[in-house]
Amino acid sequence: MRRFSLIILTILLFTSTACAYGNKETISSDKGELSDMKISIQITSDSGNHKLTATLADNSSATAFYGLLEKGPLTVKMHDYGSFEKVGSLGTSLPRNDTQITTQAGDIILYQGNQITIYYDTNSWNFTRLGKVDGVTQAELKKILGKGDVTAVFEILR
């Protein structure tokens, strides 16, 4: 009987360890925290040329985006969508850390793994947060992004 109890205890220990390990794999690494990775975004719109800075999020998607920018500046043609964001194709796919998010003005979001958006208003959906534009109000960002298409050049802040 003692040997049987020891076997059951061992099985329970391994099972609980495996379950705990499995849970770690499914939890998103995006805690909403910002990292120390900084980028610049040169926006060309109907309101002129504007240089913004942004701080990237602390997740694997933002790290992969930063790695992409280490190869050189990335130019993205962006168009308005839904009167709350500018969106454009990255030309590649990045890892996703989608969670339910209500965006705010200045949020930089990865959508479907291969599109980047800059929000100037709110929206709720399952997204991956890449970062946040630093130090601009919603009104300022709306003016900077303008009414039509924009060109955004993303690069590491030096």
Side-chain angles (χ1 to χ4, degrees), residues 138-154:
Q138 181 179 13
E140 291 168 332
L141 194 55
K142 274 183 162 180
K143 184 177 179 181
I144 289 168
L145 294 173
K147 296 187 186 294
D149 293 350
V150 303
T151 300
V153 180
F154 298 86

Side-chain angles (χ1 to χ4, degrees), residues 19 23 25 30 57 61 72 86 98 107-108 110 123 143 149 154 158:
C19 288
N23 285 344
E25 292 295 302
D30 184 2
S61 306
K86 298 292 185 182
D98 290 349
D107 280 342
I108 302 168
L110 176 67
N123 185 28
K143 184 177 179 181
D149 293 350
F154 298 86
R158 305 207 190 273

Side-chain angles (χ1 to χ4, degrees), residues 28-71:
S28 171
S29 63
D30 184 2
K31 300 172 187 135
E33 298 173 4
L34 298 176
S35 71
D36 58 356
M37 295 182 292
K38 296 284 218 174
I39 63 169
S40 69
I41 310 166
Q42 180 70 40
I43 302 286
T44 303
S45 69
D46 63 357
S47 68
N49 293 320
H50 309 274
K51 188 164 188 171
L52 304 171
T53 61
T55 304
L56 295 183
D58 187 11
N59 63 43
S60 61
S61 306
T63 300
F65 183 59
Y66 193 85
L68 185 64
L69 298 181
E70 286 179 322
K71 298 174 184 172

Side-chain angles (χ1 to χ4, degrees), residues 47-155:
S47 68
N49 293 320
H50 309 274
K51 188 164 188 171
L52 304 171
T53 61
T55 304
L56 295 183
D58 187 11
N59 63 43
S60 61
S61 306
T63 300
F65 183 59
Y66 193 85
L68 185 64
L69 298 181
E70 286 179 322
K71 298 174 184 172
L74 176 66
T75 302
V76 179
K77 302 284 187 193
M78 304 178 87
H79 64 275
D80 199 76
Y81 180 81
S83 297
F84 51 78
E85 69 179 294
K86 298 292 185 182
V87 61
S89 175
L90 284 172
T92 190
S93 291
L94 300 176
R96 294 167 65 171
N97 287 284
D98 290 349
T99 58
Q100 181 65 36
I101 296 173
T102 298
T103 63
Q104 297 178 11
D107 280 342
I108 302 168
I109 300 291
L110 176 67
Y111 179 64
Q112 295 186 340
N114 62 3
Q115 296 178 60
I116 191 166
T117 61
I118 301 174
Y119 277 82
Y120 58 87
D121 212 332
T122 61
N123 185 28
S124 292
W125 200 258
N126 286 325
F127 296 127
T128 298
R129 188 179 318 278
L130 287 179
K132 180 90 172 164
V133 175
D134 301 327
V136 295
T137 67
Q138 181 179 13
E140 291 168 332
L141 194 55
K142 274 183 162 180
K143 184 177 179 181
I144 289 168
L145 294 173
K147 296 187 186 294
D149 293 350
V150 303
T151 300
V153 180
F154 298 86
E155 62 183 316

